[in-house]
C-alpha cells in the first residue's frame, strides 16, 4: 500500500505543458526510476516515455512533457522498467496554472484606478484578476480581486506614489483542485496617473527640492550678513579715519585757473573783493545827529513803524557802510545783517553783534 501514499506535484502550465515531480531521494533511495505517461483512455493505452527528466543530484526527480488532453495517466517504474512503483490517473484541467496577464493597462481617474489585461485563451470564466498595491507609507500589500479581465479600486491619494502588481488566479474548487495562480506581472509605480521608474524618485525629487531651497536660503543669509557687515565697516572707518577734504573742491579756481599759484590767486581774489565792495550800493538812509531825548520824542510821534540806528564810528572812519543811518525797520524782534554786523532789534533795545 505504500504506492498510494507517494506524493507528487502536478502542474499544467496554461494547459500547454505538464510538469510532474516527486521526492526521488526520499521515496526511492539508491535507485534511478523511470517515468511514462499517456493521455489515451480505455484498455488500449499507449504509454510514452518521459522526453525530458528533471534531476536532483543525478537522480530522476520529475518529468516535463506536452499537454495532449484532459485525462492523464502516469506510471513510475524501476530503472529497467520491470516493476511499477507508482501509478495514477487524473484530470489535467484541474491542475492548470495560468500564464501572466498580458498587455496590462492602468487607467487613473481622480481617486479611482482601473487595471485591465487581454483575455487569455481557454476558460475565462475560471479566471480572476488580482490587483495588489501599496504606497510608500504601507508595509503590506492591499489586495483586490475581480472577474477577468478588469479590476478597479477607489480611495487612491493622487499625492502619493503607489506600487502595483497583477496576476491571474484559477477558481478553487470549481475549476482547480489546487490553488494555482500565475506569476506576478512586473511591478509598476504610479503617482496621480503618471508612470514612474520607482517611488524613490518621488522621495528624491522632494529631497532635491528641499536641498535647493535650503541652499538658496543660505546664500541669501550670507549676502545679507555681508551687506550688514559692510555698512558697519564703512561707519567704523569714517569714525576712526575721517575722510580728508580735497582742496581742489573748495578752491577750484586756484587749481584750475592759476595752476596752484596762491599769490596770483589771492591778488586777483582781493581785487575782485574790492571791486565788489565798490560796486555795492547802500540803501538810501537818513543821517541825523540828535539827542536821545529827541529820539524818544520822534519815536513817540512816528509810532512803531520806524527806528533810527546811530553808529558813532562812522564819521571818523569815513566808512560809508558804517555811517550814522536811519532806516525803516520793523519793531518786532529781528536780526538784521548790515556791513558785516548783525543787529538784534527789540522794541526798546538794539544790540549790534
Amino acid at each position: 500500500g505504500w504506492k498510494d501514499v507517494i506524493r507528487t506535484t502536478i502542474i499544467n502550465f496554461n494547459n500547454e505543458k505538464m510538469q510532474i515531480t516527486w521526492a526521488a531521494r526520499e521515496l526511492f533511495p539508491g535507485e534511478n526510476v523511470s517515468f511514462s505517461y499517456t493521455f489515451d483512455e480505455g484498455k488500449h493505452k499507449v504509454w510514452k516515455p518521459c522526453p525530458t527528466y528533471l534531476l536532483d543530484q543525478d537522480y530522476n526527480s520529475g518529468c516535463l512533457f506536452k499537454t495532449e488532453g484532459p485525462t492523464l495517466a502516469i506510471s513510475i517504474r524501476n530503472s529497467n522498467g520491470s516493476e511499477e512503483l507508482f501509478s495514477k490517473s487524473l484530470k489535467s484541467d484541474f491542475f492548470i496554472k495560468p500564464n501572466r496577464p498580458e498587455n496590462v493597462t492602468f487607467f487613473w481617474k481622480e481617486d479611482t484606478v482601473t487595471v485591465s489585461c487581454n483575455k487569455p485563451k481557454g476558460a475565462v470564466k475560471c479566471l480572476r484578476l488580482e490587483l495588489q498595491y501599496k504606497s510608500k507609507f504601507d508595509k503590506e500589500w492591499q489586495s483586490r480581486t475581480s472577474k477577468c479581465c478588469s479590476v478597479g479600486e477607489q480611495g487612491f491619494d493622487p499625492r502619493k506614489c503607489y506600487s502595483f502588481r497583477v496576476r491571474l488566479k484559477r477558481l478553487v474548487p470549481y475549476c482547480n483542485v489546487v490553488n494555482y495562480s500565475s506569476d506576478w506581472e512586473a511591478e509598476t509605480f504610479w503617482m496621480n496617473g503618471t508612470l514612474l521608474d520607482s517611488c524613490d524618485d518621488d522621495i528624491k525629487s522632494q529631497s532635491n527640492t528641499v536641498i535647493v531651497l535650503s541652499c538658496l536660503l543660505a546664500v541669501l543669509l550670507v549676502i545679507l550678513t555681508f551687506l550688514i557687515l559692510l555698512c558697519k565697516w564703512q561707519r567704523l572707518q569714517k569714525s576712526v579715519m575721517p575722510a580728508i577734504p580735497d582742496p581742489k573742491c573748495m578752491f577750484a579756481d586756484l587749481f584750475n585757473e592759476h595752476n596752484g599759484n596762491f599769490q596770483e590767486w589771492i591778488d586777483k581774489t582781493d581785487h575782485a573783493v574790492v571791486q565788489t565792495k565798490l560796486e555795492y550800493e547802500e540803501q538810501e538812509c537818513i543821517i541825523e545827529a540828535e539827542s536821545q531825548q529827541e529820539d524818544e520824542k520822534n519815536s513817540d510821534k512816528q509810532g512803531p513803524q520806524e527806528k533810527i540806528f546811530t553808529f558813532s564810528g562812522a564819521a571818523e572812519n569815513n566808512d560809508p557802510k558804517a555811517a550814522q543811518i536811519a532806516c525803516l525797520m520793523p519793531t518786532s524782534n529781528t536780526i538784521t545783517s548790515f556791513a558785516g554786523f548783525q543787529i538784534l532789534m527789540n522794541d526798546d533795545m538794539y544790540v549790534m553783534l
Side-chain angles (χ1 to χ4, degrees):
W2 63 274
K3 295 180 181 180
D4 297 334
V5 298
I6 293 178
R7 293 185 179 180
T8 58
T9 302
I10 303 170
I11 304 175
N12 184 0
F13 291 102
N14 201 41
N15 208 23
E16 297 173 357
K17 287 185 178 182
M18 296 291 301
Q19 175 181 293
I20 299 177
T21 59
W22 57 85
R25 298 174 57 190
E26 298 176 3
L27 298 174
F28 315 108
E31 186 172 1
N32 202 2
V33 298
S34 62
F35 179 87
S36 59
Y37 68 96
T38 181
F39 286 94
D40 298 331
E41 298 182 7
K43 296 180 179 180
H44 304 285
K45 295 180 180 180
V46 179
W47 293 90
K48 298 179 181 180
C50 178
T52 305
Y53 278 103
L54 304 176
L55 302 178
D56 181 12
Q57 296 184 1
D58 297 332
Y59 285 92
N60 296 335
S61 61
C63 182
L64 185 64
F65 53 94
K66 185 179 180 180
T67 304
E68 298 176 1
T71 303
L72 173 66
I74 62 175
S75 176
I76 298 176
R77 295 176 177 271
N78 57 5
S79 57
N80 56 17
S82 60
E83 181 184 0
E84 187 178 69
L85 303 177
F86 176 76
S87 64
K88 184 177 182 179
S89 297
L90 53 95
K91 290 290 186 180
S92 62
D93 293 345
F94 289 167
F95 297 88
I96 293 178
K97 179 179 181 179
N99 289 339
R100 293 178 179 178
E102 297 179 354
N103 193 21
V104 179
T105 58
F106 286 80
F107 179 72
W108 191 305
K109 184 178 180 181
E110 296 179 352
D111 66 338
T112 303
V113 174
T114 303
V115 183
S116 59
C117 66
N118 291 344
K119 290 184 178 182
K121 297 178 181 180
V124 179
K125 62 181 181 180
C126 290
L127 295 176
R128 294 293 182 267
L129 182 62
E130 182 182 7
L131 168 67
Q132 286 191 348
Y133 59 90
K134 67 176 180 178
S135 69
K136 58 186 178 182
F137 303 103
D138 298 328
K139 296 181 179 179
E140 297 181 355
W141 290 95
Q142 308 295 322
S143 184
R144 180 81 167 86
T145 304
S146 181
K147 293 181 180 181
C148 187
C149 294
S150 179
V151 59
E153 184 67 6
Q154 296 179 342
F156 290 96
D157 190 346
R159 297 170 297 179
K160 294 181 181 179
C161 178
Y162 291 89
S163 304
F164 292 94
R165 63 182 184 180
V166 293
R167 67 179 178 180
L168 291 173
K169 297 179 64 175
R170 288 275 293 185
L171 288 177
V172 178
Y174 305 103
C175 300
N176 263 30
V177 295
V178 183
N179 188 12
Y180 282 147
S181 301
S182 71
D183 295 334
W184 290 104
E185 180 63 15
E187 186 176 349
T188 56
F189 307 93
W190 294 80
M191 180 177 179
N192 195 19
T194 303
L195 179 64
L196 304 177
D197 295 334
S198 172
C199 283
D200 296 335
D201 297 341
D202 179 40
I203 299 175
K204 290 180 181 179
S205 62
Q206 293 180 358
S207 61
N208 291 336
T209 303
V210 173
I211 292 173
V212 172
L213 293 177
S214 301
C215 293
L216 291 177
L217 182 60
V219 171
L220 292 177
L221 290 176
V222 170
I223 294 174
L224 181 61
T225 305
F226 177 76
L227 292 177
I228 293 175
L229 293 176
L230 182 61
C231 293
K232 290 187 176 181
W233 170 252
Q234 290 179 349
R235 291 181 180 178
L236 179 62
Q237 190 176 18
K238 289 181 179 180
S239 61
V240 175
M241 296 181 293
I244 300 175
D246 190 355
K248 290 183 179 180
C249 298
M250 300 178 62
F251 306 99
D253 53 347
L254 171 63
F255 294 94
N256 295 335
E257 299 180 4
H258 304 283
N259 296 324
N261 191 332
F262 181 79
Q263 187 62 40
E264 180 182 349
W265 172 77
I266 196 64
D267 293 340
K268 289 191 175 183
T269 303
D270 290 343
H271 178 71
V273 171
V274 172
Q275 292 293 331
T276 304
K277 290 181 179 180
L278 292 176
E279 292 175 359
Y280 175 78
E281 294 183 0
E282 297 178 354
Q283 296 180 356
E284 183 179 358
C285 299
I286 301 173
I287 300 174
E288 296 182 359
E290 296 180 357
S291 63
Q292 184 177 2
Q293 293 180 356
E294 292 176 352
D295 291 341
E296 292 178 358
K297 291 180 181 180
N298 292 333
S299 62
D300 292 338
K301 293 179 181 180
Q302 293 176 358
Q305 293 184 354
E306 65 180 32
K307 294 290 181 179
I308 298 175
F309 302 91
T310 303
F311 301 95
S312 59
E316 297 177 359
N317 297 329
N318 296 323
D319 188 353
K321 298 178 182 179
Q324 292 180 351
I325 59 175
C327 300
L328 295 177
M329 294 292 180
T331 59
S332 60
N333 293 341
T334 306
I335 296 177
T336 302
S337 177
F338 183 79
F341 298 96
Q342 288 185 345
I343 304 171
L344 175 63
M345 293 174 289
N346 200 345
D347 293 339
D348 299 326
M349 182 182 296
Y350 308 95
V351 180
M352 182 176 65
L353 303 177

